[in-house]
Amino acid sequence: TEVTLDFPEAVHGVTVPLQLASPAACRTCGGNGARPGTAPRQCPACLGTGRINRNQGAFAFSEPCRECRGTGSVIDDPCPDCRGSGVTTQTRTITVKIPAGVADGQRIRLAGKGVPGERGGPAGDLYVRVHVRAHELFGRKGDDLTLTLPVTFPEAALGTTVRVPTMDGAVSLKIPAGTASGRTFRVRGRGVPKRSGGAGDLLVTAEVAVPK
């Protein structure tokens, strides 16, 4: 499935509910595929192993049991809702914790939240692909955030100290005298949180407005 996040949610992390219409264990039979009040019995052909050993000349090989289709059990009276599969399509809501620093297009794996196995078997995994909306001020390069800062011609020529926005409040940034348009300043630790700890940087690019 997919989820779309705002830019700050992707940077700081968020917990979101997801509503899915997907296969899940049948509530009538509990996932074993048999009508309530009955139970699957051991397959008499493979004795519950799900495989049959055959000899053909000098060779011996194993193949899935044809009587139980490799499940190891036989259902004499199938569940009326799932018809013996143990799985029905249901609408469910799960809570997904999106870690801080997730990137656009990244996949998050939720173990055991996928399609359940036949007749009560273990479930597979659910993969959630994350989409991140663009921000009006900030861009992103890996773990670094980028920002374009408008600077007047006198500020660039004479130097100044300005307040620069970050994802966690504004910080002071010194613009030295003689700053050329396109020069990039690095604000340490004001970027995207890293999985290994710490955070990236904020890269501020000065854009000098030259008067006519």
Side-chain angles (χ1 to χ4, degrees), residues 19-29 31 79-93 114-117:
Q19 191 174 48
L20 305 174
S22 61
C26 177
R27 297 173 181 173
T28 302
C29 64
C79 172
D81 289 342
C82 65
R83 298 180 181 180
S85 68
V87 177
T88 58
T89 299
Q90 301 173 20
T91 300
R92 55 187 173 130
T93 300
V115 178

Side-chain angles (χ1 to χ4, degrees), residues 97-112:
K97 184 176 181 180
I98 307 296
V102 65
D104 183 58
Q106 184 175 336
R107 292 198 313 169
I108 297 175
R109 174 177 171 266
L110 303 178

Side-chain angles (χ1 to χ4, degrees), residues 39-50 65 67-68 71-76 119:
R41 61 183 176 88
Q42 185 184 78
C43 176
C46 65
L47 301 179
T49 63
C65 176
E67 297 295 329
C68 63
T71 63
S73 61
V74 176
I75 297 177
D76 297 318
R119 301 182 185 179

